[in-house]
Amino acid sequence: GAGVSQSPRYKVAKRGQDVALRCDPISGHVSLFWYQQALGQGPEFLTYFQNEAQLDKSGLPSDRFFAERPEGSVSTLKIQRTQQEDSAVYLCASSLGLAGGLYNEQFFGPGTRLTVL
Amino acid sequence: EDQVTQSPEALRLQEGESSSLNCSYTVSGLRGLFWYRQDPGKGPEFLFTLYSAGEEKEKERLKATLTKKESFLHITAPKPEDSATYLCAVHHTTSGTYKYIFGTGTRLKVLA
């Protein structure tokens, strides 16, 4: 596809359930990022992949959050034992270049809105 | 502390009334400053990248400029379809790692 896609677009989970959010980046993009966006706020960094390597996971709020990109393309963000404070929009972005280099502008998907009841 | 601050938080303009949005940052090792537009229910849409002080970029009614401590997004003769939240983000290096920090955005409303 032409852009970054994410699925599902909306997810409602009961507290304590596990959820998995999927991101399909732009083909050929080396870098992939996950962000969490609360209502009225800017995106907050969660984690960064360069190809299949997770180089930075400093933004993951707890060990209930786990991300992977096993083949260097599609990525999944998993949240275990969801809590109400996990409710937010989760955004995925990809960029052609490496962090710190050229072509490092990020292109975002539409996001997944997670609501934990 | 590394920080990105946008002002104003919200801005209402009449159609044709030009104005500027501000993004100030306190980071070291700047690798790029980005402007995005975000419409409700959608992901941020890339607008501009600025790499060094003095650089300017233009696209239709928008012009972005960069100094050593801040960036401005100038909107000339805005139209109602320019209504959106405008986000800036800073890409920088710290302690050997690369970070992206977003501001909280400016919500722009352009009235017909």
Side-chain angles (χ1 to χ4, degrees):
Chain A
V4 179
S5 60
Q6 293 185 246
S7 61
R9 291 293 317 278
Y10 304 91
K11 177 70 179 177
V12 178
K14 292 183 179 179
R15 191 175 58 180
Q17 281 185 332
D18 298 348
V19 298
L21 313 180
R22 177 188 168 104
C23 172
D24 282 85
I26 295 172
S27 178
H29 277 199
V30 170
S31 298
L32 186 145
F33 304 81
W34 284 98
Y35 291 87
Q36 181 188 64
Q37 187 174 28
L39 190 64
Q41 300 296 312
E44 294 273 349
F45 170 81
L46 293 177
T47 187
Y48 162 59
F49 288 87
Q50 179 182 312
N51 295 307
E52 69 278 3
Q54 188 175 22
L55 298 187
D56 189 345
K57 54 182 180 179
S58 61
L60 296 176
S62 77
D63 58 7
R64 296 186 294 104
F65 287 71
F66 172 77
E68 60 183 5
R69 192 187 186 198
E71 297 180 358
S73 54
V74 170
S75 177
T76 304
L77 177 66
K78 298 179 180 177
I79 308 173
Q80 298 176 325
R81 304 182 302 281
T82 52
Q83 304 294 315
Q84 286 187 324
E85 60 262 29
D86 299 334
S87 295
V89 174
Y90 290 86
L91 294 165
C92 174
S94 69
S95 67
L96 180 63
L98 306 177
L102 297 177
Y103 311 113
N104 54 22
E105 51 269 13
Q106 298 179 28
F107 296 90
F108 283 82
T112 294
R113 181 178 296 279
L114 173 65
T115 302
V116 182
L117 303 176
Chain B
E1 180 186 354
D2 297 328
Q3 204 164 9
V4 176
T5 304
Q6 290 189 246
S7 62
E9 289 186 9
L11 182 62
R12 291 167 68 93
L13 299 173
Q14 292 293 324
E15 184 172 5
E17 180 186 2
S18 301
S19 188
S20 295
L21 314 182
N22 178 262
C23 171
S24 63
Y25 58 94
T26 53
V27 304
S28 58
L30 182 72
R31 304 296 292 178
L33 185 142
F34 310 98
W35 282 98
Y36 291 87
R37 169 192 172 128
Q38 187 172 27
D39 292 292
K42 296 188 176 181
E45 174 189 346
F46 171 74
L47 294 173
F48 301 110
T49 307
L50 301 167
Y51 289 107
S52 57
E55 191 174 358
E56 298 183 351
K57 295 273 181 74
E58 285 190 69
K59 180 181 178 181
E60 297 180 352
R61 294 178 293 282
L62 300 177
K63 179 180 177 180
T65 62
L66 180 65
T67 72
K68 287 186 177 181
K69 291 297 181 186
E70 59 190 348
S71 176
F72 292 93
L73 184 66
H74 308 278
I75 304 177
T76 302
K79 298 181 177 181
E81 53 261 41
D82 294 324
S83 298
T85 295
Y86 290 84
L87 296 164
C88 79
V90 167
H91 178 41
H92 73 111
T93 179
T94 178
S95 302
T97 62
Y98 295 102
K99 298 293 184 183
Y100 288 85
I101 306 175
F102 277 81
T104 54
T106 293
R107 296 188 309 278
L108 174 65
K109 177 73 174 177
V110 181
L111 304 172

